[in-house]
Amino acid sequence: MGKRARIWALYGDGLRPMQRGLERSFERARKGRTAAVNTPEVAAIQYWRKRLK
């Protein structure tokens, strides 16, 4: 575990404490998909898929 992760304090139950971060991650993924689909190069889609993993 990294140094920063050791000092994290999570308040709440379930996914609620991580909700904001997950929403930002999903939004970046959606924008990245749009950009990859609109780029004529296959490499753009491969790069987007790699980032999702």
Side-chain angles (χ1 to χ4, degrees), residues 1-2 11 13 15 20 22-23 31-33 45 51:
M1 183 181 302
Y11 303 101
D13 295 327
L15 293 178
R20 183 173 167 224
L22 290 172
E23 288 172 351
K31 287 180 181 180
R33 180 189 178 277
I45 294 173
R51 295 259 321 176

Side-chain angles (χ1 to χ4, degrees), residues 20-34 48:
R20 183 173 167 224
L22 290 172
E23 288 172 351
R24 288 191 322 213
S25 294
F26 287 136
E27 183 61 28
R28 280 194 306 262
R30 282 191 291 270
K31 287 180 181 180
R33 180 189 178 277
T34 301
W48 171 73

Side-chain angles (χ1 to χ4, degrees), residues 2-53:
K3 287 181 184 179
R4 288 182 12 199
R6 288 188 192 119
I7 61 170
W8 290 347
L10 299 176
Y11 303 101
D13 295 327
L15 293 178
R16 188 110 176 120
M18 297 183 292
Q19 183 175 351
R20 183 173 167 224
L22 290 172
E23 288 172 351
R24 288 191 322 213
S25 294
F26 287 136
E27 183 61 28
R28 280 194 306 262
R30 282 191 291 270
K31 287 180 181 180
R33 180 189 178 277
T34 301
V37 168
N38 292 330
T39 302
E41 301 161 0
V42 175
I45 294 173
Q46 293 297 334
Y47 178 74
W48 171 73
R49 289 181 64 222
K50 181 173 72 171
R51 295 259 321 176
L52 289 178
K53 292 180 182 185

